[in-house]
Amino acid sequence: MSREDRWDFFIAYANPDRAAAEELYGLLRPHFRVFLDPRSLPPADENGNRLPEVQRQAAITLVLLSAGPDRAYAEREEIVRAIEVSRRQNGLRRVVPILLDGADGTDRLPYGLRLEEAVPVTDSGGLAQVAERLRSSLRHRLALPAAELLRRYEERTTVERAVRLVPRHGFDPTGKLGLSSRKYVFVGDYEEQRHRTLRQILGNLWIGDAFEHVDNSNGPWLALTFELGEVNRRKLDLLPATWKAAFRILSDPTRAGCFSATDEERTLLGRPPRNYYSDDQQAWYASCTTRERRYTPRGTDYFIREVLGISWLCFTGTGITQGARQSSGLPSRIFFVRNLPLHSIDHQVQDLGVPDDDIVLD
């Protein structure tokens, strides 16, 4: 998917097939972003003037086909548009015909759809089975590719929704986002990790290993997701996971207040708005780990390990999980947020099971 994608699926249908379209929409909606014109168009666009733009923003167009008279003009137009977009983007967008009358309808596929893999509804066992087939076979195509993750990092794309992984054992729904000793905790960009398995997300975000160390990361995990609108962004104090941001958190008396910055350090920090992605991260790492800040009465590296949860001090601190550490994961953006009580955040919880379960983040 590319930067413009907003919808996972766009359902194209003729009026006689509207009931089937509504049913398929209801089956897919809990797990995907699905566009269906009577459900998804704003009231101001009753004539569907935005449909071409919306369809171009969808990763996959589902074309519902049934026997009967020629398809409605609007649906034919949507089919042509979907095929053109798919060809122009070298297959990054897909067109999937849904045959409501079964496999016998393959000989009636409109020109341009014959090369696509059609899904016969009756032969599949009904629309519920079709939805499950789409969910299992196409989901990997909806995850953002590595190049898009890097682009989002380089362009500092705004995080709209955050995801945080926590071990299921010991999770307290009446507690906080993280351990009580933490002032701040790590989160990833939900959009970047969506449609990936637990194992992939653990590898991408280095959670349970480099951050928020867990003795056995093969146990069961939960995913906490929450919106980051302007109010939550301020309340959670979202900051990129860089050494400069870590220093600011640890030295600011209104945040963690673990130690005081020197006059020289305050000058280098500068005034807001600060660039926490600056290219001097190793200098800020050095500031976080001076002798008196490393060796504390509570233990070595207490501020970094316990207050922030950084368990691998060779982390490059650039706001993305890349660098010297060997990992099979994709370099992904990571952020600090305040360790707030869960009751103060409108959040959702998804059980991702254990890594071997291959459960995907909805």
Side-chain angles (χ1 to χ4, degrees):
M1 295 191 351
S2 68
R3 73 186 73 180
E4 293 87 5
D5 288 341
R6 179 183 175 191
W7 304 98
D8 299 325
F9 294 107
F10 177 100
I11 301 179
Y13 67 98
N15 278 334
D17 302 326
R18 178 166 180 167
E22 294 267 6
E23 182 180 351
L24 186 59
Y25 172 87
L27 291 166
L28 293 173
R29 185 67 183 86
H31 309 287
F32 301 100
R33 297 171 183 154
V34 187
F35 183 92
L36 183 66
D37 55 7
R39 297 288 192 92
S40 311
L41 277 177
D45 190 28
E46 293 179 355
N47 296 324
N49 295 325
R50 291 186 58 246
L51 282 178
E53 174 192 347
V54 169
Q55 188 178 5
R56 283 191 290 269
Q57 292 176 341
I60 298 171
T61 294
L62 303 177
V63 180
L64 272 56
L65 298 169
S66 63
D70 290 342
R71 315 310 303 160
Y73 172 78
E75 188 190 28
R76 291 201 303 271
E77 188 178 35
E78 289 166 1
I79 292 172
V80 171
R81 186 162 53 238
I83 294 170
E84 289 178 348
V85 170
S86 178
R87 287 173 176 167
R88 193 162 55 243
Q89 300 199 14
N90 297 319
L92 288 179
R93 300 291 207 284
R94 283 198 63 180
V95 188
V96 179
I98 307 296
L99 306 179
L100 298 177
D101 298 318
D104 291 341
T106 54
D107 59 347
R108 295 190 301 273
L109 285 177
Y111 176 76
L113 291 185
R114 296 182 186 276
L115 297 179
E116 299 290 343
E117 183 181 356
V119 180
V121 173
T122 54
D123 296 9
S124 299
L127 280 173
Q129 285 68 31
V130 168
E132 183 56 35
R133 177 173 169 179
L134 293 171
R135 182 182 180 188
S136 60
S137 64
L138 297 178
R139 191 155 212 168
H140 69 282
R141 298 182 63 95
L142 298 171
L144 292 178
E148 179 66 5
L149 301 189
L150 184 59
R151 182 200 67 79
R152 291 169 69 88
Y153 170 71
E154 291 173 344
E155 297 185 7
R156 313 297 187 237
T157 302
T158 301
V159 186
E160 301 294 343
R161 188 172 181 83
V163 58
R164 174 166 168 74
L165 297 185
V166 295
R168 186 199 300 161
H169 297 315
F171 173 67
D172 180 4
T174 65
K176 294 185 174 184
L177 280 169
L179 299 175
S180 58
S181 61
R182 305 275 194 267
K183 293 294 185 180
Y184 282 68
V185 294
F186 284 92
V187 298
D189 184 340
Y190 165 78
E191 191 66 27
E192 296 177 4
Q193 305 308 319
R194 187 169 174 253
H195 300 309
R196 303 190 194 280
T197 65
L198 168 62
R199 188 181 300 280
Q200 289 171 329
I201 301 171
L202 288 171
N204 291 351
L205 301 182
W206 297 355
I207 298 298
D209 185 10
F211 313 120
E212 312 278 358
H213 180 73
V214 175
D215 289 335
N216 181 13
S217 61
N218 290 318
W221 292 78
L222 302 175
L224 310 182
T225 59
F226 45 91
E227 297 292 338
L228 284 172
E230 281 306 311
V231 174
N232 268 354
R233 205 178 305 277
R234 291 193 298 270
K235 181 169 70 172
L236 287 160
D237 193 29
L238 179 79
L239 293 169
T242 66
W243 283 117
K244 185 174 183 178
F247 178 87
R248 179 61 177 163
I249 291 169
L250 294 174
S251 64
D252 187 346
T254 65
R255 290 181 167 98
C258 296
F259 53 76
S260 297
T262 66
D263 290 341
E264 181 182 3
E265 289 167 339
R266 279 191 286 268
T267 299
L268 290 173
L269 274 173
R271 300 182 63 83
R274 297 180 175 89
N275 175 20
Y276 287 108
Y277 288 102
S278 56
D279 58 5
D280 56 351
Q281 297 304 323
Q282 283 306 302
W284 291 110
Y285 166 74
S287 292
C288 289
T289 56
T290 60
R291 180 175 179 81
E292 63 273 16
R293 293 167 183 171
R294 286 199 68 182
Y295 302 104
T296 76
R298 296 188 177 187
T300 302
D301 296 321
Y302 176 84
F303 300 148
I304 291 175
R305 294 184 183 276
E306 296 302 324
V307 177
L308 295 181
I310 301 174
S311 49
W312 185 60
L313 300 193
C314 293
F315 167 51
T316 58
T318 53
I320 189 170
T321 56
Q322 66 181 9
R325 190 176 188 83
Q326 292 185 347
S327 172
S328 60
L330 299 177
S332 301
R333 295 190 297 167
I334 46 176
F335 302 86
F336 294 119
V337 294
R338 289 186 190 276
N339 188 19
L340 296 181
L342 287 169
H343 68 74
S344 68
I345 308 167
D346 185 12
H347 65 282
Q348 286 75 47
V349 180
Q350 180 184 350
D351 193 331
L352 295 180
V354 300
D356 286 342
D357 290 339
D358 285 334
I359 297 176
V360 173
L361 178 65
D362 287 334

